Every structure is written in structure tokens, then in C-alpha cells.
Amino acid sequence: MTGEDIQNRKRYIEEVRNSFPECGIETPEPPKAVASPGIRLRLFFAVSLFALFFAAQKSDLHIFGLSTDEIIEKIEENYDYTNLEKYVMMIFDSINL
């Protein structure tokens, strides 16, 4: 379904509900999607770190005395990252990609 189909469906449902006013069913307002300040802050830091890393890689700058290649090596040395990588590769092998 496309976004337009969804909106048409919502309008149709609203019209059907409004056609039965004697039932006393009120259509509730849909909740607003609001990101908490914590999530916004984490997203801001994640995007900032990515931008810093990307800029450092393009201009050969060092971040806290480490080159981007050294940062990548340290991430790859992480035990959890290695296990996750192995797990993902096992899944890909099992579905024959």
C-alpha cells in the first residue's frame, strides 16, 4: 500500500464511523510521534561522530591521535563485533545469498 492508499483507507473508516452517530463511539485522535530528548541527543551525537569520522577520513586527520584506519582496526578487534560479523555471515550462508 502506498501512503495515498493508507490515507484513503483512513478517510473511509472515518466516514463509516461518523455515519453511526447514535452509537456514541468517538474517534480518538492518533497519538503524535515525539522522540524523547534522550533519543534526540543520542541521534545528534551519532550523526556528529559519523560526520567527524567521515571528514577525518577524507582529509587524513587524526581523531584523538588515531587515524581512521586505526579506529577501524580497533572496532574490528572488538570481540562482540567479531561475533556479530560471524553470526551475520552464518545467516547469509544459510540462506544462500
Side-chain angles (χ1 to χ4, degrees):
M1 285 185 120
T2 64
E4 187 177 315
D5 292 337
I6 293 171
Q7 293 303 322
N8 290 338
R9 177 89 171 150
K10 285 181 182 180
R11 262 188 255 113
Y12 171 74
I13 291 172
E14 186 66 29
E15 289 173 8
V16 170
R17 283 183 180 167
N18 291 336
S19 67
F20 297 99
E22 65 275 353
C23 293
I25 299 174
E26 294 181 16
T27 303
E29 288 293 320
K32 304 289 183 201
V34 177
S36 69
I39 291 175
R40 289 181 185 174
L41 188 62
R42 284 187 232 157
L43 181 62
F44 172 75
F45 281 125
V47 170
S48 299
L49 284 174
F50 176 74
L52 175 67
F53 182 82
F54 187 73
Q57 190 168 19
K58 290 295 181 184
S59 62
D60 293 330
L61 291 177
H62 287 36
I63 303 172
F64 300 113
L66 297 171
S67 70
T68 54
D69 292 333
E70 292 170 336
I71 293 172
I72 291 171
E73 287 174 11
K74 289 194 180 287
I75 292 172
E76 288 176 347
E77 289 173 2
N78 187 337
Y79 179 76
D80 294 333
Y81 174 80
T82 305
N83 283 342
L84 178 64
E85 183 181 29
K86 289 178 183 177
Y87 180 72
V88 169
M89 294 309 293
M90 286 180 357
I91 290 174
F92 283 152
D93 288 341
S94 69
I95 59 174
N96 296 324
L97 285 179

Coordinates of all heavy atoms in Angstrom, one line a residue:
M1 N 0.8 -1.2 0.0 CA 0.0 0.0 0.0 C 0.9 1.2 0.0 O 1.9 1.3 0.7 CB -0.9 0.0 1.3 CG -2.0 -0.9 1.3 SD -3.0 -0.6 2.8 CE -4.5 -0.2 2.0
T2 N 0.4 2.2 -0.7 CA 1.2 3.5 -0.8 C 0.6 4.4 0.3 O -0.4 4.1 0.9 CB 1.0 4.1 -2.1 OG1 -0.3 4.5 -2.3 CG2 1.5 3.2 -3.2
G3 N 1.3 5.5 0.5 CA 0.8 6.5 1.5 C -0.5 7.0 1.2 O -1.4 7.3 2.1
E4 N -0.8 7.2 -0.1 CA -2.1 7.7 -0.5 C -3.2 6.7 -0.3 O -4.3 7.0 0.2 CB -2.1 8.0 -2.0 CG -3.3 8.7 -2.5 CD -3.2 9.1 -4.0 OE1 -2.1 9.7 -4.4 OE2 -4.1 8.9 -4.7
D5 N -2.9 5.4 -0.5 CA -3.9 4.3 -0.2 C -4.2 4.3 1.3 O -5.4 4.1 1.6 CB -3.3 3.0 -0.7 CG -3.2 2.9 -2.2 OD1 -3.9 3.6 -2.9 OD2 -2.4 2.0 -2.6
I6 N -3.2 4.5 2.1 CA -3.4 4.4 3.5 C -4.3 5.6 4.0 O -5.2 5.4 4.8 CB -2.1 4.4 4.3 CG1 -1.3 3.1 4.0 CG2 -2.2 4.7 5.8 CD1 0.1 3.1 4.5
Q7 N -4.0 6.8 3.4 CA -4.8 8.0 3.8 C -6.3 7.8 3.3 O -7.2 8.1 4.0 CB -4.2 9.2 3.2 CG -2.9 9.6 3.8 CD -3.0 9.8 5.3 OE1 -4.0 10.3 5.8 NE2 -1.9 9.4 6.0
N8 N -6.5 7.2 2.1 CA -7.8 7.0 1.6 C -8.5 6.0 2.5 O -9.7 6.1 2.8 CB -7.8 6.4 0.2 CG -7.4 7.5 -0.8 OD1 -7.5 8.7 -0.5 ND2 -6.8 7.1 -2.0
R9 N -7.8 5.0 3.0 CA -8.4 4.0 3.8 C -8.8 4.6 5.2 O -9.9 4.3 5.7 CB -7.4 2.8 4.1 CG -7.9 1.8 5.0 CD -8.6 0.7 4.3 NE -8.9 -0.4 5.2 CZ -9.9 -1.2 5.1 NH1 -10.7 -1.0 4.1 NH2 -10.1 -2.1 6.0
K10 N -8.0 5.4 5.7 CA -8.3 6.1 7.0 C -9.5 7.0 6.8 O -10.4 7.1 7.7 CB -7.1 6.9 7.5 CG -6.0 6.1 8.0 CD -4.8 7.0 8.5 CE -3.7 6.2 9.0 NZ -2.6 7.0 9.5
R11 N -9.6 7.7 5.7 CA -10.7 8.6 5.4 C -12.0 7.8 5.3 O -13.1 8.1 5.9 CB -10.5 9.4 4.2 CG -10.1 10.8 4.4 CD -10.0 11.7 3.2 NE -8.6 11.8 2.8 CZ -8.1 11.3 1.7 NH1 -8.8 10.7 0.8 NH2 -6.8 11.5 1.5
Y12 N -12.0 6.6 4.7 CA -13.1 5.8 4.5 C -13.6 5.3 5.9 O -14.8 5.3 6.2 CB -12.8 4.6 3.6 CG -13.8 3.5 3.6 CD1 -15.0 3.7 2.9 CD2 -13.7 2.3 4.2 CE1 -16.0 2.8 2.9 CE2 -14.6 1.3 4.2 CZ -15.8 1.6 3.5 OH -16.8 0.6 3.5
I13 N -12.6 4.8 6.7 CA -13.0 4.3 8.0 C -13.6 5.4 8.9 O -14.6 5.2 9.6 CB -11.8 3.7 8.7 CG1 -11.3 2.4 8.0 CG2 -12.0 3.5 10.2 CD1 -10.0 1.9 8.5
E14 N -13.1 6.6 8.8 CA -13.6 7.8 9.5 C -15.1 8.1 9.0 O -15.9 8.4 9.9 CB -12.7 9.0 9.3 CG -13.1 10.2 10.1 CD -12.9 10.0 11.6 OE1 -12.0 9.2 12.0 OE2 -13.7 10.6 12.4
E15 N -15.3 8.0 7.7 CA -16.7 8.3 7.2 C -17.6 7.2 7.7 O -18.8 7.5 8.1 CB -16.6 8.3 5.7 CG -16.0 9.5 5.1 CD -15.8 9.4 3.6 OE1 -16.3 8.4 3.0 OE2 -15.1 10.2 3.0
V16 N -17.2 6.0 7.7 CA -18.1 4.9 8.2 C -18.4 5.1 9.7 O -19.5 5.0 10.1 CB -17.5 3.5 8.0 CG1 -18.2 2.4 8.6 CG2 -17.4 3.2 6.5
R17 N -17.4 5.4 10.5 CA -17.6 5.7 11.9 C -18.6 6.8 12.1 O -19.4 6.8 13.0 CB -16.3 5.9 12.6 CG -15.5 4.7 12.8 CD -14.3 5.0 13.6 NE -13.5 3.8 13.8 CZ -12.2 3.8 14.2 NH1 -11.6 4.9 14.5 NH2 -11.6 2.6 14.4
N18 N -18.4 7.9 11.4 CA -19.2 9.1 11.5 C -20.7 8.8 11.0 O -21.6 9.6 11.4 CB -18.6 10.3 10.8 CG -17.4 10.7 11.5 OD1 -17.2 10.5 12.7 ND2 -16.5 11.4 10.7
S19 N -20.9 7.8 10.2 CA -22.2 7.6 9.7 C -23.1 6.9 10.8 O -24.3 6.7 10.6 CB -22.2 6.7 8.5 OG -21.7 5.4 8.8
F20 N -22.5 6.5 11.9 CA -23.3 5.9 13.0 C -23.1 6.8 14.3 O -22.5 6.3 15.3 CB -22.8 4.5 13.3 CG -22.9 3.5 12.2 CD1 -21.9 3.2 11.3 CD2 -24.2 2.9 12.0 CE1 -22.0 2.3 10.3 CE2 -24.3 2.0 10.9 CZ -23.3 1.8 10.1
P21 N -23.7 8.0 14.3 CA -23.5 8.8 15.4 C -24.3 8.4 16.7 O -23.9 8.7 17.8 CB -24.1 10.2 15.0 CG -25.1 9.8 13.9 CD -24.5 8.6 13.3
E22 N -25.3 7.6 16.5 CA -26.1 7.1 17.7 C -25.3 6.1 18.5 O -25.7 5.8 19.7 CB -27.4 6.6 17.3 CG -27.4 5.3 16.4 CD -27.2 5.6 15.0 OE1 -27.2 6.7 14.5 OE2 -27.0 4.6 14.2
C23 N -24.3 5.5 18.0 CA -23.5 4.5 18.8 C -22.7 5.1 19.9 O -22.3 4.5 20.8 CB -22.6 3.7 17.9 SG -23.5 2.7 16.7
G24 N -22.4 6.4 19.8 CA -21.6 7.1 20.8 C -20.1 6.8 20.7 O -19.4 7.0 21.7
I25 N -19.7 6.3 19.7 CA -18.2 6.0 19.5 C -17.6 7.2 19.0 O -17.9 7.7 17.9 CB -18.0 4.8 18.6 CG1 -18.7 3.5 19.2 CG2 -16.5 4.6 18.4 CD1 -18.6 2.3 18.2
E26 N -16.6 7.7 19.7 CA -15.9 8.9 19.3 C -14.5 8.4 18.7 O -13.9 7.5 19.2 CB -15.6 9.8 20.4 CG -16.9 10.5 21.0 CD -16.5 11.4 22.1 OE1 -15.4 11.8 22.2 OE2 -17.5 11.8 22.8
T27 N -14.1 9.0 17.6 CA -12.9 8.6 17.0 C -11.8 9.3 17.8 O -11.7 10.5 17.9 CB -12.8 9.1 15.6 OG1 -14.0 8.5 14.9 CG2 -11.6 8.7 14.9
P28 N -10.9 8.5 18.3 CA -9.8 9.1 19.1 C -8.7 9.8 18.2 O -8.6 9.3 17.0 CB -9.2 8.0 19.9 CG -9.5 6.8 19.0 CD -10.8 7.1 18.4
E29 N -8.1 10.8 18.7 CA -7.0 11.4 17.9 C -5.8 10.5 17.9 O -5.5 9.9 18.9 CB -6.6 12.7 18.5 CG -7.6 13.8 18.3 CD -7.8 14.2 16.8 OE1 -6.8 14.3 16.1 OE2 -8.9 14.4 16.4
P30 N -5.2 10.3 16.7 CA -4.0 9.4 16.7 C -2.9 10.1 17.5 O -2.7 11.3 17.6 CB -3.6 9.4 15.2 CG -4.3 10.5 14.6 CD -5.5 10.8 15.4
P31 N -2.1 9.2 18.3 CA -1.0 9.8 19.1 C 0.1 10.4 18.2 O 0.3 10.0 17.1 CB -0.5 8.6 19.8 CG -0.9 7.4 19.0 CD -2.1 7.8 18.3
K32 N 0.6 11.5 18.7 CA 1.7 12.2 18.0 C 3.0 11.4 18.3 O 3.3 11.1 19.4 CB 1.8 13.6 18.4 CG 0.6 14.4 18.3 CD 0.3 14.7 16.8 CE -1.0 15.5 16.7 NZ -1.6 15.4 15.4
A33 N 3.8 11.2 17.3 CA 5.1 10.6 17.4 C 6.1 11.7 17.9 O 6.4 12.6 17.1 CB 5.6 9.9 16.2
V34 N 6.6 11.5 19.1 CA 7.5 12.5 19.7 C 8.7 11.7 20.2 O 8.6 10.8 21.0 CB 6.9 13.3 20.8 CG1 7.9 14.3 21.4 CG2 5.6 14.1 20.3
A35 N 9.9 12.1 19.7 CA 11.1 11.5 20.2 C 11.5 12.1 21.5 O 11.4 13.3 21.7 CB 12.2 11.7 19.1
S36 N 11.9 11.3 22.4 CA 12.3 11.8 23.7 C 13.6 12.5 23.6 O 14.4 12.3 22.6 CB 12.4 10.6 24.7 OG 13.6 9.8 24.4
P37 N 13.9 13.4 24.5 CA 15.2 14.2 24.4 C 16.4 13.3 24.5 O 17.4 13.6 23.8 CB 15.1 15.1 25.7 CG 13.7 15.2 26.0 CD 13.1 13.9 25.6
G38 N 16.3 12.2 25.2 CA 17.5 11.2 25.2 C 17.8 10.7 23.8 O 18.9 10.5 23.4
I39 N 16.7 10.3 23.1 CA 16.9 9.7 21.8 C 17.4 10.8 20.8 O 18.3 10.5 20.0 CB 15.6 9.1 21.3 CG1 15.3 7.9 22.1 CG2 15.7 8.7 19.8 CD1 13.9 7.2 21.8
R40 N 16.9 12.0 20.9 CA 17.4 13.1 20.1 C 18.9 13.4 20.3 O 19.6 13.6 19.4 CB 16.6 14.3 20.4 CG 15.2 14.3 19.8 CD 14.5 15.6 20.1 NE 13.1 15.5 19.7 CZ 12.2 16.4 20.0 NH1 12.5 17.5 20.6 NH2 10.9 16.2 19.6
L41 N 19.3 13.3 21.6 CA 20.7 13.6 22.0 C 21.6 12.5 21.4 O 22.6 12.8 20.9 CB 20.8 13.7 23.5 CG 22.1 14.2 24.0 CD1 22.5 15.6 23.5 CD2 22.1 14.1 25.5
R42 N 21.2 11.3 21.6 CA 22.0 10.2 21.0 C 22.1 10.2 19.5 O 23.1 10.0 19.0 CB 21.3 8.8 21.5 CG 21.6 8.5 22.9 CD 21.1 7.1 23.2 NE 20.3 7.2 24.4 CZ 19.3 6.3 24.7 NH1 19.1 5.3 23.9 NH2 18.6 6.5 25.7
L43 N 21.0 10.5 18.9 CA 21.0 10.7 17.4 C 21.9 11.8 17.0 O 22.7 11.6 16.1 CB 19.6 10.9 16.9 CG 19.5 11.0 15.4 CD1 19.9 9.7 14.7 CD2 18.0 11.4 15.0
F44 N 21.9 12.9 17.7 CA 22.7 14.0 17.4 C 24.2 13.6 17.5 O 25.0 13.9 16.7 CB 22.4 15.2 18.3 CG 23.4 16.4 18.2 CD1 23.4 17.2 17.1 CD2 24.4 16.6 19.2 CE1 24.3 18.2 17.0 CE2 25.3 17.6 19.1 CZ 25.3 18.4 18.0
F45 N 24.6 13.0 18.6 CA 25.9 12.5 18.8 C 26.4 11.5 17.8 O 27.5 11.5 17.3 CB 26.2 12.0 20.2 CG 26.3 13.0 21.3 CD1 25.5 13.0 22.4 CD2 27.3 14.0 21.1 CE1 25.6 14.0 23.3 CE2 27.4 15.0 22.1 CZ 26.6 15.0 23.2
A46 N 25.5 10.6 17.4 CA 25.8 9.6 16.4 C 26.1 10.2 15.1 O 27.1 9.9 14.4 CB 24.7 8.5 16.3
V47 N 25.2 11.1 14.7 CA 25.4 11.8 13.4 C 26.7 12.7 13.4 O 27.5 12.7 12.5 CB 24.2 12.7 13.1 CG1 24.4 13.6 11.9 CG2 23.0 11.8 12.8
S48 N 26.9 13.3 14.6 CA 28.2 14.1 14.7 C 29.4 13.3 14.6 O 30.4 13.7 14.0 CB 28.1 14.9 16.0 OG 27.1 15.8 16.1
L49 N 29.4 12.1 15.3 CA 30.6 11.3 15.3 C 30.8 10.7 13.8 O 31.9 10.6 13.4 CB 30.4 10.1 16.2 CG 30.7 10.4 17.7 CD1 30.3 9.2 18.6 CD2 32.1 10.9 17.9
F50 N 29.7 10.4 13.2 CA 29.8 9.9 11.8 C 30.4 11.0 10.9 O 31.3 10.7 10.1 CB 28.5 9.4 11.3 CG 28.6 9.0 9.8 CD1 29.1 7.8 9.4 CD2 28.1 9.8 8.8 CE1 29.2 7.5 8.1 CE2 28.1 9.5 7.5 CZ 28.7 8.3 7.1
A51 N 29.9 12.2 11.1 CA 30.4 13.3 10.3 C 31.9 13.6 10.6 O 32.7 13.8 9.6 CB 29.6 14.6 10.5
L52 N 32.3 13.5 11.8 CA 33.7 13.7 12.2 C 34.5 12.6 11.6 O 35.6 12.9 11.1 CB 33.8 13.7 13.7 CG 35.2 13.8 14.3 CD1 35.8 15.2 14.0 CD2 35.2 13.6 15.8
F53 N 34.1 11.4 11.7 CA 34.9 10.3 11.1 C 35.0 10.4 9.6 O 36.1 10.2 9.1 CB 34.2 8.9 11.5 CG 34.9 7.8 11.0 CD1 36.0 7.3 11.7 CD2 34.6 7.1 9.8 CE1 36.7 6.1 11.3 CE2 35.3 6.0 9.4 CZ 36.3 5.5 10.1
F54 N 33.9 10.8 9.0 CA 33.9 10.9 7.5 C 34.8 12.0 7.1 O 35.6 11.9 6.2 CB 32.5 11.2 7.0 CG 32.4 11.2 5.5 CD1 32.4 10.0 4.8 CD2 32.2 12.4 4.8 CE1 32.3 10.0 3.4 CE2 32.1 12.4 3.5 CZ 32.2 11.2 2.7
A55 N 34.8 13.2 7.8 CA 35.6 14.3 7.5 C 37.1 14.0 7.7 O 38.0 14.3 7.0 CB 35.2 15.5 8.3
A56 N 37.4 13.2 8.8 CA 38.7 12.8 9.1 C 39.3 11.9 8.1 O 40.5 11.9 7.7 CB 38.8 12.2 10.5
Q57 N 38.4 11.0 7.6 CA 38.9 10.0 6.6 C 39.2 10.7 5.3 O 40.2 10.4 4.6 CB 37.8 9.0 6.4 CG 38.3 7.8 5.5 CD 37.4 6.6 5.6 OE1 36.2 6.8 5.9 NE2 37.9 5.5 5.2
K58 N 38.4 11.7 4.9 CA 38.6 12.4 3.6 C 39.8 13.4 3.7 O 40.4 13.6 2.7 CB 37.3 13.2 3.3 CG 36.2 12.4 2.9 CD 36.5 11.7 1.6 CE 35.3 10.8 1.1 NZ 35.6 10.1 -0.1
S59 N 40.1 13.9 4.9 CA 41.2 14.9 4.9 C 42.4 14.3 5.7 O 43.3 15.1 5.9 CB 40.7 16.1 5.7 OG 40.3 15.8 7.0
D60 N 42.5 13.0 6.0 CA 43.6 12.4 6.6 C 43.9 13.0 8.0 O 45.1 13.2 8.3 CB 44.8 12.4 5.7 CG 44.6 11.5 4.5 OD1 43.9 10.5 4.6 OD2 45.2 11.8 3.4
L61 N 42.9 13.4 8.7 CA 43.1 14.0 10.1 C 43.1 12.8 11.1 O 42.6 11.7 10.8 CB 42.0 15.0 10.4 CG 42.0 16.3 9.6 CD1 40.8 17.1 10.1 CD2 43.2 17.1 9.9
H62 N 43.6 13.1 12.3 CA 43.6 12.1 13.3 C 42.6 12.5 14.4 O 42.4 13.7 14.7 CB 45.0 12.0 14.0 CG 46.0 11.4 13.1 ND1 46.0 11.5 11.7 CD2 47.0 10.5 13.4 CE1 47.0 10.8 11.2 NE2 47.6 10.2 12.2
I63 N 41.9 11.6 14.9 CA 40.9 11.8 15.9 C 41.5 11.2 17.2 O 41.7 10.0 17.3 CB 39.5 11.1 15.6 CG1 39.0 11.6 14.3 CG2 38.5 11.3 16.7 CD1 37.8 10.8 13.8
F64 N 41.7 12.1 18.2 CA 42.3 11.7 19.5 C 43.6 11.0 19.2 O 44.0 10.0 19.9 CB 41.4 10.9 20.3 CG 40.1 11.6 20.7 CD1 38.9 11.1 20.2 CD2 40.1 12.7 21.5 CE1 37.7 11.8 20.5 CE2 39.0 13.3 21.8 CZ 37.8 12.9 21.3
G65 N 44.4 11.4 18.3 CA 45.7 10.8 18.0 C 45.6 9.5 17.2 O 46.6 8.8 17.0
L66 N 44.5 9.1 16.7 CA 44.3 7.9 15.9 C 43.8 8.2 14.5 O 43.0 9.0 14.3 CB 43.3 7.0 16.6 CG 43.6 6.4 18.0 CD1 42.4 5.7 18.6 CD2 44.8 5.5 18.0
S67 N 44.4 7.5 13.6 CA 43.9 7.7 12.2 C 42.6 6.9 12.0 O 42.3 6.0 12.9 CB 45.0 7.2 11.2 OG 45.1 5.8 11.3
T68 N 41.9 7.1 11.0 CA 40.7 6.4 10.8 C 40.9 4.9 10.5 O 40.1 4.1 11.0 CB 39.9 7.0 9.6 OG1 40.7 7.0 8.4 CG2 39.4 8.4 9.9
D69 N 42.0 4.5 9.9 CA 42.4 3.1 9.7 C 42.6 2.4 11.1 O 42.2 1.3 11.3 CB 43.6 3.0 8.9 CG 43.4 3.4 7.4 OD1 42.2 3.3 7.0 OD2 44.3 3.8 6.7
E70 N 43.3 3.1 12.0 CA 43.5 2.6 13.4 C 42.2 2.4 14.1 O 42.0 1.4 14.8 CB 44.4 3.4 14.2 CG 45.9 3.4 13.6 CD 46.8 4.5 14.3 OE1 46.2 5.5 14.8 OE2 48.0 4.3 14.3
I71 N 41.3 3.3 13.9 CA 40.0 3.3 14.6 C 39.2 2.1 14.0 O 38.6 1.3 14.8 CB 39.2 4.6 14.4 CG1 39.8 5.7 15.1 CG2 37.7 4.4 14.8 CD1 39.2 7.1 14.9
I72 N 39.2 1.9 12.7 CA 38.6 0.7 12.1 C 39.2 -0.6 12.6 O 38.4 -1.5 13.0 CB 38.6 0.8 10.6 CG1 37.8 2.0 10.1 CG2 38.2 -0.5 9.9 CD1 37.9 2.3 8.6
E73 N 40.5 -0.7 12.8 CA 41.1 -1.9 13.3 C 40.7 -2.1 14.7 O 40.4 -3.3 15.1 CB 42.6 -1.7 13.2 CG 43.2 -1.8 11.8 CD 44.7 -1.5 11.8 OE1 45.3 -1.5 12.9 OE2 45.2 -1.4 10.7
K74 N 40.6 -1.1 15.5 CA 40.2 -1.3 16.9 C 38.7 -1.8 17.0 O 38.4 -2.6 17.9 CB 40.4 0.0 17.7 CG 41.8 0.3 18.0 CD 42.0 1.4 19.0 CE 43.4 1.7 19.3 NZ 44.1 0.7 20.0
I75 N 37.9 -1.3 16.2 CA 36.5 -1.7 16.1 C 36.4 -3.2 15.7 O 35.7 -4.0 16.3 CB 35.6 -0.9 15.2 CG1 35.5 0.5 15.8 CG2 34.3 -1.5 15.0 CD1 34.8 1.5 14.9
E76 N 37.2 -3.6 14.7 CA 37.3 -4.9 14.2 C 37.8 -5.9 15.3 O 37.5 -7.1 15.3 CB 38.0 -5.0 12.9 CG 37.3 -4.4 11.8 CD 38.1 -4.4 10.5 OE1 39.3 -4.7 10.5 OE2 37.5 -4.2 9.4
E77 N 38.7 -5.4 16.1 CA 39.3 -6.3 17.2 C 38.3 -6.6 18.3 O 38.5 -7.5 19.1 CB 40.5 -5.6 17.8 CG 41.7 -5.5 16.9 CD 42.9 -4.7 17.5 OE1 42.7 -4.2 18.6 OE2 43.9 -4.6 16.8
N78 N 37.3 -5.8 18.4 CA 36.3 -5.9 19.4 C 35.6 -7.3 19.3 O 35.2 -7.7 18.3 CB 35.2 -4.8 19.3 CG 34.2 -4.8 20.5 OD1 34.0 -5.8 21.2 ND2 33.6 -3.7 20.7
Y79 N 35.6 -8.0 20.4 CA 35.0 -9.4 20.5 C 33.6 -9.4 20.0 O 33.2 -10.3 19.2 CB 35.2 -9.9 21.9 CG 34.6 -11.3 22.1 CD1 35.4 -12.4 21.6 CD2 33.4 -11.6 22.7 CE1 34.9 -13.7 21.7 CE2 32.9 -12.9 22.8 CZ 33.7 -13.9 22.4 OH 33.2 -15.2 22.5
D80 N 32.8 -8.5 20.5 CA 31.3 -8.5 20.1 C 31.1 -8.3 18.6 O 30.3 -8.9 18.0 CB 30.6 -7.4 20.9 CG 30.5 -7.8 22.4 OD1 30.6 -9.0 22.7 OD2 30.4 -6.8 23.2
Y81 N 31.9 -7.3 18.1 CA 31.8 -7.1 16.6 C 32.2 -8.3 15.8 O 31.5 -8.6 14.9 CB 32.7 -5.9 16.3 CG 32.8 -5.6 14.8 CD1 31.8 -4.9 14.1 CD2 33.9 -6.1 14.0 CE1 31.8 -4.7 12.8 CE2 33.9 -5.9 12.6 CZ 32.9 -5.2 12.0 OH 33.0 -5.0 10.7
T82 N 33.3 -9.0 16.2 CA 33.7 -10.2 15.5 C 32.6 -11.3 15.6 O 32.4 -11.9 14.6 CB 35.0 -10.7 16.1 OG1 36.0 -9.7 16.1 CG2 35.6 -11.9 15.4
N83 N 32.0 -11.5 16.7 CA 31.0 -12.5 16.9 C 29.8 -12.1 16.0 O 29.1 -12.9 15.4 CB 30.6 -12.7 18.3 CG 31.6 -13.5 19.0 OD1 32.4 -14.2 18.4 ND2 31.6 -13.5 20.4
L84 N 29.4 -10.8 16.0 CA 28.3 -10.4 15.2 C 28.6 -10.6 13.7 O 27.7 -11.1 13.0 CB 28.0 -8.9 15.5 CG 26.9 -8.3 14.7 CD1 25.5 -9.0 15.0 CD2 26.8 -6.8 14.9
E85 N 29.8 -10.3 13.3 CA 30.1 -10.5 11.9 C 30.0 -11.9 11.5 O 29.5 -12.3 10.5 CB 31.5 -9.9 11.7 CG 32.0 -10.0 10.2 CD 33.4 -9.5 10.0 OE1 34.2 -9.6 11.0 OE2 33.7 -9.0 9.0
K86 N 30.5 -12.8 12.4 CA 30.5 -14.3 12.1 C 29.0 -14.7 12.1 O 28.6 -15.5 11.2 CB 31.2 -15.1 13.2 CG 32.7 -14.9 13.1 CD 33.4 -15.7 14.3 CE 34.9 -15.5 14.2 NZ 35.5 -16.1 15.4
Y87 N 28.2 -14.2 13.0 CA 26.8 -14.6 13.0 C 26.1 -14.2 11.8 O 25.3 -14.9 11.2 CB 26.1 -14.0 14.3 CG 24.6 -14.3 14.4 CD1 24.2 -15.6 14.7 CD2 23.7 -13.4 14.1 CE1 22.9 -15.9 14.9 CE2 22.3 -13.7 14.2 CZ 21.9 -14.9 14.6 OH 20.6 -15.2 14.7
V88 N 26.3 -13.0 11.3 CA 25.7 -12.5 10.1 C 26.1 -13.3 8.9 O 25.3 -13.6 8.0 CB 26.0 -11.0 9.9 CG1 25.5 -10.5 8.5 CG2 25.3 -10.1 11.0
M89 N 27.4 -13.6 8.8 CA 27.9 -14.4 7.7 C 27.3 -15.8 7.7 O 27.0 -16.4 6.7 CB 29.4 -14.5 7.7 CG 30.1 -13.2 7.5 SD 29.5 -12.3 6.0 CE 30.1 -13.4 4.8
M90 N 27.1 -16.4 8.9 CA 26.4 -17.7 9.0 C 25.0 -17.6 8.5 O 24.5 -18.5 7.8 CB 26.4 -18.2 10.4 CG 27.8 -18.7 10.9 SD 27.9 -19.3 12.6 CE 26.3 -19.1 13.3
I91 N 24.3 -16.5 8.8 CA 22.9 -16.4 8.3 C 22.9 -16.2 6.8 O 22.1 -16.9 6.1 CB 22.2 -15.1 9.0 CG1 22.0 -15.4 10.4 CG2 21.0 -14.8 8.3 CD1 21.5 -14.2 11.2
F92 N 23.8 -15.5 6.2 CA 23.9 -15.3 4.8 C 24.2 -16.6 4.1 O 23.7 -16.9 3.1 CB 24.9 -14.3 4.4 CG 24.5 -12.8 4.6 CD1 25.4 -11.8 4.8 CD2 23.1 -12.5 4.5 CE1 25.0 -10.5 5.0 CE2 22.7 -11.2 4.7 CZ 23.6 -10.2 4.9
D93 N 25.1 -17.4 4.7 CA 25.4 -18.7 4.2 C 24.2 -19.7 4.2 O 24.0 -20.5 3.3 CB 26.6 -19.4 4.9 CG 27.9 -18.7 4.6 OD1 28.0 -18.0 3.6 OD2 28.9 -18.9 5.4
S94 N 23.4 -19.6 5.3 CA 22.3 -20.5 5.4 C 21.2 -20.2 4.4 O 20.4 -21.0 4.0 CB 21.8 -20.5 6.8 OG 21.2 -19.2 7.1
I95 N 21.1 -18.9 4.0 CA 20.0 -18.5 3.0 C 20.5 -18.5 1.6 O 19.8 -18.0 0.7 CB 19.3 -17.2 3.4 CG1 20.3 -16.1 3.5 CG2 18.5 -17.4 4.7 CD1 19.6 -14.7 3.7
N96 N 21.8 -18.8 1.4 CA 22.4 -18.9 0.1 C 22.4 -17.6 -0.7 O 21.9 -17.6 -1.8 CB 21.8 -20.0 -0.7 CG 21.9 -21.4 -0.1 OD1 23.0 -21.7 0.5 ND2 21.0 -22.2 -0.2
L97 N 22.9 -16.6 -0.1 CA 23.0 -15.3 -0.8 C 24.3 -15.2 -1.5 O 25.3 -15.6 -1.2 CB 22.9 -14.1 0.2 CG 21.5 -13.9 0.7 CD1 21.5 -12.7 1.6 CD2 20.5 -13.5 -0.5

